[in-house]
Amino acid sequence: MQPNLNKYTKMRVKNDRLEALRMIISSQELGSQDELLEALKKEGFQLTQATLSRDLKQLKVAKAATMRGNYVYVLPNETMYKRVSTPRSVHEMMQVPGFMSINFSGNMGVIRTRPGYASSIAYNIDNSHIEEILGTIAGDDTIFIVIRQGVTKDEVIEALSQVVPNMR
């Protein structure tokens, strides 16, 4: 990674790379890190085997046997990343946002996401240090947020729209 990138840009690059890795693993049967590195390269990500290993560990990727007896990489929660017979490119798949809705009650909010997206969206919220939000708790498809006292719903939505694609 380039040393002149700021912390926010580096985080965004990593998040994009992790999301691309999720999409690749969910849409292709790949059994080696070399195959994963090549697939990531085709999507515009240059990284070392060591970085890929750390990413796989962070995503809790495992290997599982296919019907043909080959071992391929799989994600821990296949609800969203179920294999498809006609895979699209990672770029096409990443155009579909994970955010679905947000609702409020007092100084609390509940964000609904597509299955598997909540933890990465909550991670982005927490690491963006949004003043209006005290913290998050994420499940598989739900994020609970605690809103700072005196902050309006519109202020929260405005702040989150800077971090969460399609929040508006």
Side-chain angles (χ1 to χ4, degrees):
M1 200 172 302
Q2 299 169 353
N4 60 347
L5 295 178
N6 67 33
K7 183 177 172 182
Y8 177 76
T9 303
K10 287 180 182 179
M11 182 182 73
R12 189 163 200 85
V13 168
K14 180 177 182 182
N15 289 337
D16 289 348
R17 185 180 71 239
L18 291 175
E19 186 62 20
L21 188 54
R22 285 184 190 102
M23 295 297 179
I24 288 167
I25 290 170
S26 69
S27 65
Q28 300 175 43
E29 290 189 356
L30 302 175
S32 74
Q33 288 191 4
D34 285 339
E35 290 173 328
L36 284 173
L37 286 169
E38 188 59 35
L40 285 164
K41 186 177 181 181
K42 287 179 185 173
E43 296 296 334
F45 296 94
Q46 285 286 117
L47 60 149
T48 65
Q49 184 274 328
T51 299
L52 176 60
S53 289
R54 286 189 293 273
D55 288 352
L56 293 173
K57 184 175 182 178
Q58 181 177 342
L59 294 175
K60 296 180 174 61
V61 171
K63 276 196 166 182
T66 66
M67 298 296 278
R68 294 184 299 264
N70 300 329
Y71 282 86
V72 297
Y73 289 102
V74 293
L75 295 160
N77 182 348
E78 287 292 324
T79 53
M80 178 194 153
Y81 300 105
K82 193 174 88 182
R83 293 201 190 282
V84 291
S85 55
T86 55
R88 297 179 293 166
S89 75
V90 170
H91 180 72
E92 290 173 312
M93 289 187 279
M94 289 177 75
Q95 298 307 309
V96 180
F99 169 79
M100 293 178 65
S101 66
I102 185 168
N103 289 295
F104 298 94
S105 178
N107 73 325
M108 298 175 288
V110 175
I111 298 173
R112 298 281 182 195
T113 71
R114 291 179 47 207
Y117 274 77
S119 66
S120 62
I121 291 174
Y123 176 85
N124 289 345
I125 293 169
D126 289 339
N127 286 290
S128 295
H129 306 290
I130 297 171
E131 292 295 317
E132 293 83 355
I133 296 174
L134 295 175
T136 66
I137 300 173
D140 182 56
D141 62 359
T142 306
I143 303 167
F144 173 76
I145 60 173
V146 178
I147 301 162
R148 190 171 301 281
Q149 196 70 28
V151 174
T152 68
K153 295 173 193 173
D154 289 337
E155 289 172 324
V156 171
I157 290 171
E158 177 64 31
L160 286 172
S161 70
Q162 305 302 312
V163 178
V164 181
N166 295 4
M167 173 61 77
R168 291 246 169 226

